[in-house]
Amino acid sequence: MGAVSVVDFGGDGRPIVLLHGLMGRARTWWRVAQWLRRYGHVVGLDARGHGRGPRGGPWTTEQFVADAAEVVRSLGEPAVVIGHSMGGLHAWSLAAAEPELVHAVVVEDMAPDQRGKTVETWRGYFESWPVPFQSLAHVREFFGETGDYFTECVEERADGYHLIASLDDLYEIAAEWGRREYWSSVEAVKCPMLVVEAEHTLMPPGQQAEMARRAQSGRHLVVPGAGHVVHDSQPDIYRGAVEAFLSAVLGR
């Protein structure tokens, strides 16, 4: 698979491909992967610019989709593709562009039209981080309820812990979402799609429910009390929803 970086979490049967969000990496899915192995062969992809993925662009949705398609083709049969945030966008875009590669999709807290948003609103927050972090305990303390997630996203260097991804690359990736909309790719999804929305979502209101309506076989769930990383903030509800969906689409 060339420069594409994949983590194999194990399991047998139907491929299940996990796509992480901006700033993340495949290993942020470890807890989820443990129960997903009952349903198939689970792998996670480090997106380019993240984790151990390739470091160069282009930083376009089409390139990320091409990388994910390369992984699914290597697995030999259509996959269930599960994505969080940025990974959700790439999951449904893959299903739209390469329908023969995708059996079903789960999208976690991502919307198709964020035009007008700019990375400038995030820049101050990111640049306020006390980098380098002094320890993994420092990372957990700083990020609070998402601390475990972010400990997977940093690496130790001589002076402490730094985000593995480059902020400049992340700004460029996210800037594309403020310039374009993705409704046409939502409408092109032919396979079953579950849209899991956080009650405290950062996405524009109403769009995730509309996604489920516009997809040919879409379902939508709002998870009470959940923040953006639903699978961390409300893991039991997330698991129940995804397992019910997989049981239906896999006939189990």
Side-chain angles (χ1 to χ4, degrees):
M1 284 183 281
V4 176
S5 178
V6 172
V7 176
D8 193 327
F9 292 109
D12 296 305
R14 170 79 63 180
I16 301 174
V17 176
L18 304 176
L19 305 180
H20 61 77
L22 193 72
M23 292 189 287
R25 61 187 302 203
R27 296 188 190 278
T28 61
W29 287 107
W30 183 83
R31 286 193 181 94
V32 172
Q34 304 315 296
W35 51 263
L36 276 177
R37 287 184 301 188
R38 293 179 51 204
Y39 296 90
H41 176 201
V42 184
V43 302
L45 168 64
D46 278 353
R48 63 179 52 238
H50 297 73
R52 302 304 169 204
R55 304 326 278 179
W59 306 114
T60 63
T61 299
E62 288 75 16
Q63 181 61 62
F64 287 108
V65 167
D67 293 341
E70 182 180 343
V71 172
V72 176
R73 287 193 184 95
S74 75
L75 297 170
E77 64 177 301
V80 173
V81 185
I82 299 176
H84 167 245
S85 193
M86 175 186 78
L89 166 62
H90 300 161
W92 88 62
S93 297
L94 174 61
E98 306 275 2
E100 73 284 358
L101 297 181
V102 182
H103 184 72
V105 173
V106 177
V107 177
E108 179 185 346
D109 212 47
M110 187 61 173
D113 189 353
Q114 300 185 65
R115 286 176 295 176
K117 285 190 175 181
T118 73
V119 295
E120 297 307 316
T121 59
W122 306 347
R123 196 180 294 268
Y125 168 64
F126 292 153
E127 293 176 358
S128 74
W129 292 359
V131 176
F133 293 96
Q134 297 169 25
S135 69
L136 293 178
H138 188 195
V139 175
R140 290 190 182 94
E141 179 181 89
F142 181 78
F143 289 105
E145 69 173 23
T146 55
D148 285 345
Y149 180 91
F150 277 100
T151 60
E152 299 287 357
C153 304
V154 297
E155 63 183 354
E156 186 176 15
R157 302 177 190 167
D159 60 347
Y161 288 85
H162 294 256
L163 191 68
I164 297 173
S166 159
L167 284 178
D168 287 339
D169 292 344
L170 301 184
Y171 293 145
E172 192 166 348
I173 293 165
E176 182 190 47
W177 309 337
R179 297 191 298 265
R180 59 186 292 193
E181 51 85 15
Y182 298 88
W183 284 115
S184 61
S185 59
V186 171
E187 293 163 355
V189 175
K190 306 293 194 301
C191 64
M193 180 166 74
L194 172 64
V195 181
V196 179
E197 179 175 359
E199 179 184 5
H200 305 298
T201 184
L202 303 175
M203 298 296 125
Q207 289 195 22
Q208 295 184 71
E210 181 65 18
M211 285 172 61
R213 284 192 290 268
R214 293 201 194 186
Q216 293 195 19
S217 183
R219 310 176 193 185
H220 173 245
L221 172 69
V222 177
V223 178
H228 180 55
V229 188
V230 181
H231 64 269
D232 268 5
S233 61
Q234 292 291 347
D236 293 338
I237 300 175
Y238 177 85
R239 176 176 179 173
V242 173
E243 286 197 306
F245 178 71
L246 292 178
S247 295
V249 300
L250 298 178
R252 301 183 57 167

